[in-house]
Amino acid sequence: MIDESERAVRAAMDAELLLLDPELRASPVRVSELLDPEFTEFGASGRRWDAESVLTVTSGATVSPESPVEVSEMTGVALAPGIVHLTYFADNQGRRAWRSSLWRLTGTGWRLYFHQATPVPSGIA
């Protein structure tokens, strides 16, 4: 039997994977449905992103359909009702990073509130 915390973690994981899907990323409308209006990201580049700047980049086909982001070691925990923290390892055509996301449940569903990427040099995992 799956409890509410497990359902929340699964929903956040599914939404995170959707945001990495090249087809979804090409649609600013679909991406914006998954980003919280207060979204903030600290990218692997060190740049700070908000929802508007992410929409500009994702609509520019930054993830190739031929080389999708490879995700491994994804885990999650419900921190409180309606708040889920995910961590995972991502490899985007050799650009590797540990990633951390906070998802929150809103009236319109699960939305990404915060994301951070920490780059991983070659040879380290």
Side-chain angles (χ1 to χ4, degrees), residues 6-46:
E6 290 175 90
R7 275 194 289 279
V9 169
R10 183 76 256 161
M13 285 180 170
D14 290 346
E16 185 84 33
L17 293 171
L18 275 175
L19 278 174
L20 296 172
D21 178 82
E23 184 177 317
L24 183 128
R25 289 173 72 89
S27 170
V29 170
R30 292 185 68 200
V31 171
S32 67
E33 290 170 351
L34 292 171
L35 295 181
D36 193 274
E38 298 176 26
F39 171 79
T40 301
E41 175 178 343
F42 298 124
S45 65

Side-chain angles (χ1 to χ4, degrees), residues 87-107:
T87 59
Y88 61 96
F89 186 78
D91 186 326
N92 183 6
Q93 300 178 34
R95 293 189 339 252
R96 304 166 46 204
W98 283 106
R99 297 191 170 265
S100 176
S101 296
L102 286 175
W103 287 82
R104 71 176 172 181
L105 185 58
T106 69

Side-chain angles (χ1 to χ4, degrees), residues 39-115:
F39 171 79
T40 301
E41 175 178 343
F42 298 124
S45 65
R47 181 174 173 187
R48 182 181 174 148
W49 302 82
D50 60 15
E52 185 178 325
S53 60
V54 166
L55 289 171
T56 299
V57 170
T58 58
S59 63
T62 57
V63 176
S64 167
E66 294 80 32
S67 300
V69 175
E70 295 177 30
V71 173
S72 61
E73 301 182 51
M74 184 178 279
T75 61
V77 63
L79 299 176
I83 304 290
V84 170
H85 179 229
L86 301 179
T87 59
Y88 61 96
F89 186 78
D91 186 326
N92 183 6
Q93 300 178 34
R95 293 189 339 252
R96 304 166 46 204
W98 283 106
R99 297 191 170 265
S100 176
S101 296
L102 286 175
W103 287 82
R104 71 176 172 181
L105 185 58
T106 69
T108 59
W110 286 95
R111 299 184 87 169
L112 183 57
Y113 177 76
F114 178 79
H115 185 80

